Coordinates of all heavy atoms in Angstrom, one line a residue:
K95 N -103.0 59.6 81.2 CA -103.5 60.2 80.0 C -102.3 60.7 79.2 O -101.6 61.6 79.8 CB -104.5 61.2 80.3 CG -105.4 61.7 79.1 CD -106.5 62.6 79.5 CE -107.4 63.0 78.4 NZ -108.5 63.9 78.8
I96 N -102.1 60.3 78.0 CA -101.0 60.8 77.2 C -101.3 61.8 76.1 O -100.3 62.4 75.6 CB -100.2 59.5 76.6 CG1 -101.1 58.8 75.6 CG2 -99.7 58.6 77.7 CD1 -100.4 57.7 74.8
N97 N -102.5 62.0 75.8 CA -102.9 63.1 75.0 C -104.4 63.3 75.2 O -105.0 62.7 76.1 CB -102.6 62.9 73.5 CG -103.3 61.7 72.8 OD1 -104.4 61.4 73.2 ND2 -102.6 61.0 71.9
K98 N -105.0 64.2 74.4 CA -106.4 64.6 74.7 C -107.4 63.5 74.8 O -108.4 63.6 75.5 CB -106.8 65.7 73.7 CG -107.0 65.2 72.3 CD -107.5 66.3 71.4 CE -107.7 65.7 70.0 NZ -108.2 66.8 69.0
N99 N -107.2 62.4 74.1 CA -108.2 61.3 74.0 C -107.6 59.9 74.2 O -108.3 59.0 73.8 CB -109.0 61.4 72.7 CG -108.2 61.1 71.5 OD1 -107.0 61.5 71.4 ND2 -108.7 60.4 70.5
T100 N -106.4 59.8 74.8 CA -105.8 58.5 74.9 C -105.2 58.3 76.3 O -104.6 59.2 76.9 CB -104.6 58.4 73.9 OG1 -105.1 58.8 72.6 CG2 -104.0 57.0 73.8
W101 N -105.4 57.1 76.8 CA -104.8 56.7 78.1 C -104.0 55.4 77.8 O -104.4 54.6 77.0 CB -105.9 56.3 79.1 CG -106.7 57.4 79.6 CD1 -106.6 58.0 80.8 CD2 -107.8 58.1 78.9 NE1 -107.6 59.1 80.9 CE2 -108.3 59.1 79.7 CE3 -108.4 57.9 77.6 CZ2 -109.4 59.9 79.4 CZ3 -109.5 58.8 77.3 CH2 -109.9 59.8 78.1
K102 N -102.8 55.4 78.4 CA -101.9 54.3 78.1 C -101.7 53.4 79.4 O -101.3 53.9 80.4 CB -100.5 54.8 77.7 CG -99.5 53.7 77.2 CD -98.3 54.3 76.6 CE -97.4 53.2 76.1 NZ -96.2 53.8 75.4
L103 N -101.9 52.1 79.3 CA -101.8 51.2 80.4 C -100.6 50.3 80.2 O -100.3 49.8 79.1 CB -103.1 50.3 80.4 CG -104.4 50.9 80.9 CD1 -104.9 52.0 80.0 CD2 -105.5 49.8 81.1
N104 N -100.0 50.1 81.3 CA -98.8 49.1 81.3 C -99.4 47.7 81.5 O -99.9 47.4 82.6 CB -97.9 49.4 82.5 CG -96.7 48.5 82.5 OD1 -96.6 47.5 81.8 ND2 -95.7 48.8 83.4
T105 N -99.4 46.9 80.5 CA -100.0 45.5 80.6 C -99.0 44.4 80.5 O -99.3 43.3 80.2 CB -101.0 45.4 79.4 OG1 -100.4 45.6 78.2 CG2 -102.2 46.3 79.6
T106 N -97.7 44.7 80.8 CA -96.7 43.7 80.9 C -97.1 42.6 81.8 O -97.4 42.8 83.0 CB -95.4 44.3 81.3 OG1 -95.0 45.4 80.4 CG2 -94.3 43.2 81.3
G107 N -97.1 41.4 81.3 CA -97.5 40.2 82.1 C -99.0 40.0 82.4 O -99.3 39.1 83.1
L108 N -99.8 40.9 81.8 CA -101.2 40.8 82.1 C -101.9 40.2 80.9 O -101.6 40.5 79.7 CB -101.8 42.2 82.4 CG -101.2 42.9 83.6 CD1 -101.9 44.3 83.7 CD2 -101.5 42.1 84.9
S109 N -102.9 39.3 81.1 CA -103.7 38.8 80.1 C -105.1 39.5 80.0 O -105.8 39.3 79.0 CB -103.9 37.3 80.3 OG -104.6 37.0 81.5
S110 N -105.4 40.2 81.0 CA -106.7 40.9 81.0 C -106.6 42.2 81.9 O -105.9 42.2 82.9 CB -107.8 40.0 81.6 OG -109.0 40.6 81.7
V111 N -107.3 43.2 81.5 CA -107.4 44.4 82.2 C -108.8 45.0 82.1 O -109.5 44.9 81.1 CB -106.3 45.4 81.7 CG1 -106.7 45.9 80.2 CG2 -106.2 46.6 82.6
T112 N -109.2 45.7 83.2 CA -110.5 46.3 83.3 C -110.3 47.8 83.5 O -109.6 48.2 84.4 CB -111.3 45.7 84.4 OG1 -111.6 44.3 84.2 CG2 -112.7 46.4 84.6
I113 N -111.0 48.6 82.7 CA -111.0 50.0 82.8 C -112.4 50.5 83.2 O -113.4 50.1 82.6 CB -110.6 50.6 81.5 CG1 -109.2 50.1 81.0 CG2 -110.5 52.2 81.5 CD1 -109.2 49.4 79.7
K114 N -112.4 51.3 84.2 CA -113.7 51.9 84.7 C -113.7 53.4 84.5 O -112.6 54.0 84.8 CB -114.0 51.5 86.1 CG -114.2 50.0 86.4 CD -114.5 49.8 87.8 CE -114.7 48.3 88.1 NZ -115.0 48.0 89.5
Y115 N -114.8 54.0 84.1 CA -114.9 55.4 83.9 C -116.3 55.8 83.9 O -117.2 55.0 83.7 CB -114.1 55.9 82.7 CG -114.6 55.3 81.4 CD1 -115.5 56.0 80.6 CD2 -114.1 54.1 80.9 CE1 -116.0 55.5 79.4 CE2 -114.6 53.5 79.7 CZ -115.5 54.2 78.9 OH -115.9 53.7 77.7
K116 N -116.5 57.1 84.1 CA -117.9 57.7 84.1 C -117.9 58.7 82.9 O -116.9 59.4 82.6 CB -118.2 58.4 85.4 CG -118.1 57.6 86.6 CD -118.1 58.4 87.9 CE -119.5 59.0 88.2 NZ -120.4 57.9 88.6
V117 N -119.1 58.8 82.3 CA -119.3 59.8 81.2 C -120.5 60.7 81.6 O -121.6 60.2 81.9 CB -119.6 59.1 79.9 CG1 -119.8 60.1 78.8 CG2 -118.4 58.2 79.5
Y118 N -120.3 62.0 81.5 CA -121.3 62.9 81.8 C -122.1 63.1 80.4 O -121.4 63.4 79.4 CB -120.8 64.2 82.3 CG -121.8 65.3 82.5 CD1 -122.7 65.2 83.6 CD2 -121.9 66.4 81.6 CE1 -123.6 66.2 83.8 CE2 -122.9 67.4 81.9 CZ -123.7 67.3 83.0 OH -124.7 68.3 83.2
A119 N -123.4 63.0 80.4 CA -124.2 63.1 79.2 C -125.4 63.9 79.4 O -126.4 63.4 80.0 CB -124.5 61.7 78.7
F120 N -125.4 65.1 78.9 CA -126.6 66.0 79.2 C -126.8 67.0 78.0 O -127.0 68.1 78.1 CB -126.4 66.8 80.5 CG -127.7 67.5 81.0 CD1 -128.8 66.7 81.1 CD2 -127.7 68.8 81.3 CE1 -130.0 67.3 81.6 CE2 -128.9 69.4 81.7 CZ -130.0 68.7 81.9
E121 N -126.7 66.4 76.8 CA -126.9 67.2 75.6 C -127.8 66.3 74.6 O -127.2 65.5 73.9 CB -125.6 67.6 74.9 CG -125.8 68.5 73.7 CD -124.5 68.8 73.0 OE1 -123.4 68.5 73.5 OE2 -124.6 69.4 71.9
L122 N -129.1 66.6 74.6 CA -130.0 65.7 73.8 C -130.0 66.3 72.4 O -130.7 67.3 72.1 CB -131.4 65.7 74.4 CG -132.3 64.8 73.6 CD1 -131.9 63.4 73.7 CD2 -133.8 64.9 74.2
S123 N -129.2 65.7 71.6 CA -129.2 66.0 70.1 C -129.0 64.7 69.4 O -128.8 63.6 70.1 CB -128.0 66.9 69.8 OG -126.8 66.3 69.7
V124 N -129.0 64.7 68.1 CA -128.9 63.4 67.4 C -127.5 62.9 67.4 O -127.3 61.8 67.0 CB -129.4 63.6 65.9 CG1 -130.9 64.0 65.9 CG2 -128.6 64.7 65.2
R125 N -126.5 63.7 67.8 CA -125.1 63.3 67.7 C -124.4 63.2 69.0 O -123.2 62.9 69.1 CB -124.4 64.3 66.8 CG -124.3 65.7 67.4 CD -123.9 66.8 66.4 NE -125.0 67.0 65.4 CZ -126.0 67.8 65.6 NH1 -126.2 68.4 66.7 NH2 -126.9 68.0 64.6
T126 N -125.1 63.6 70.1 CA -124.5 63.6 71.4 C -125.4 62.8 72.4 O -126.6 62.6 72.2 CB -124.3 65.0 72.0 OG1 -125.6 65.7 71.9 CG2 -123.3 65.7 71.1
S127 N -124.8 62.4 73.5 CA -125.5 61.5 74.5 C -126.3 62.4 75.5 O -125.9 63.5 75.9 CB -124.6 60.6 75.2 OG -123.9 59.8 74.2
F128 N -127.3 61.7 76.1 CA -128.2 62.4 77.1 C -128.7 61.3 78.0 O -129.2 60.3 77.6 CB -129.4 63.1 76.4 CG -130.3 63.8 77.4 CD1 -130.0 65.2 77.7 CD2 -131.3 63.2 78.0 CE1 -130.9 65.8 78.6 CE2 -132.2 63.8 78.9 CZ -131.9 65.1 79.2
I129 N -128.6 61.6 79.3 CA -129.1 60.7 80.3 C -129.9 61.5 81.4 O -129.4 62.5 81.9 CB -128.0 59.9 81.0 CG1 -127.2 59.1 80.0 CG2 -128.5 59.0 82.1 CD1 -125.9 58.6 80.5
D130 N -131.1 61.1 81.7 CA -131.8 61.5 82.9 C -132.6 60.4 83.4 O -132.5 59.2 82.9 CB -132.6 62.8 82.7 CG -133.8 62.6 81.7 OD1 -134.1 61.5 81.4 OD2 -134.4 63.7 81.4

Side-chain angles (χ1 to χ4, degrees):
K95 193 174 187 180
I96 61 172
N97 62 37
K98 66 179 182 179
N99 68 320
T100 308
W101 291 258
K102 186 172 183 178
L103 287 64
N104 181 354
T105 55
T106 301
L108 299 178
S109 61
S110 179
V111 65
T112 297
I113 301 118
K114 296 182 179 180
Y115 58 96
K116 302 167 73 70
V117 180
Y118 179 73
F120 195 53
E121 183 182 354
L122 185 59
S123 77
V124 296
R125 66 195 69 84
T126 52
S127 298
F128 180 92
I129 300 164
D130 67 8

